[in-house]
Amino acid sequence: MIRVGIGYDLHRLKKDCKLIIGGIEIDSNIGAYSHSDGDCLLHALVDAMLGAAGLGDIGEHFPDIDEKYKNIKSSFFVTKTLELINKNGFRVINVDATVLLEKPKLIDYKQTIKINIANLLNISEHFVNIKAKTNEKIGEIGESLAIASYVVVLLEG
């Protein structure tokens, strides 16, 4: 059985916050404001995995009102979600992700992000694709006020 899930996440950007994307700290003077580490790529990945498995969404499993998740690394959410989907008879086959961020450019980080996500999911890096797009200076993302991510995951079960 093949199942597909899509995930989306968006965070405000502000000074004095770290910018973490795909578990990798990005050199930037602004970062994502969030209850956890603000990694919108990993948050979207978790939602895509949960969606494909029919297991709800990130907020149901890791609510942002729970203090135990305050400032936690989003890789924790990915690891726990992988355990959950494996327990339900699924495994990740493929990940395709798009990060929407005006600046900084992610060209020098994409391969490292790809490898990190592959390692978190215990799959080959050949089955993870990372794309980075600007918003052409339009809207909150284009004005560097926000970052967003879309992720599609293919599961087999």
Side-chain angles (χ1 to χ4, degrees):
M1 173 176 36
I2 300 293
R3 305 273 297 259
V4 176
I6 186 168
Y8 168 79
D9 197 38
L10 176 128
H11 288 288
R12 286 181 287 151
L13 294 173
K14 62 182 255 182
K15 292 186 186 225
D16 302 322
C17 290
K18 290 182 180 181
L19 184 59
I20 311 292
I21 301 174
I24 305 302
E25 186 169 345
I26 308 299
D27 186 28
S28 177
N29 64 344
I30 55 174
Y33 179 75
S34 176
H35 184 72
S36 66
D37 67 359
D39 190 330
C40 81
L41 177 54
L42 293 188
H43 294 176
L45 173 62
V46 167
D47 264 348
M49 292 166 63
L50 290 168
L55 296 171
D57 63 46
I58 192 170
E60 293 173 41
H61 295 271
F62 313 104
D64 64 3
I65 57 172
D66 192 329
E67 284 302 309
K68 72 182 171 187
Y69 302 124
K70 180 79 173 154
N71 298 320
I72 197 165
K73 289 184 177 184
S74 296
S75 57
F76 171 83
F77 303 144
V78 175
T79 301
K80 290 300 181 187
T81 301
L82 183 63
E83 290 173 7
L84 179 62
I85 68 165
N86 289 162
K87 190 168 92 174
N88 280 272
F90 295 103
R91 68 183 186 91
V92 177
I93 301 298
N94 177 270
V95 174
D96 186 33
T98 303
V99 178
L100 298 162
L101 178 69
E102 201 65 27
K103 59 184 177 180
K105 300 290 186 188
L106 298 180
I107 188 75
D108 293 335
Y109 296 95
K110 285 175 28 177
Q111 184 64 25
T112 306
I113 291 168
K114 177 180 179 172
I115 291 168
N116 191 58
I117 289 175
N119 288 338
L120 286 170
L121 297 175
N122 299 316
I123 62 175
S124 168
E125 68 183 81
H126 302 290
F127 298 109
V128 177
N129 188 54
I130 305 297
K131 301 179 297 288
K133 304 288 181 189
T134 68
N135 224 35
E136 300 295 332
K137 301 188 188 309
I138 299 170
E140 287 84 4
I141 294 170
E143 294 172 10
S144 294
L145 299 174
I147 180 174
S149 294
Y150 290 94
V151 177
V152 175
V153 169
L154 180 66
L155 299 184
E156 182 177 59

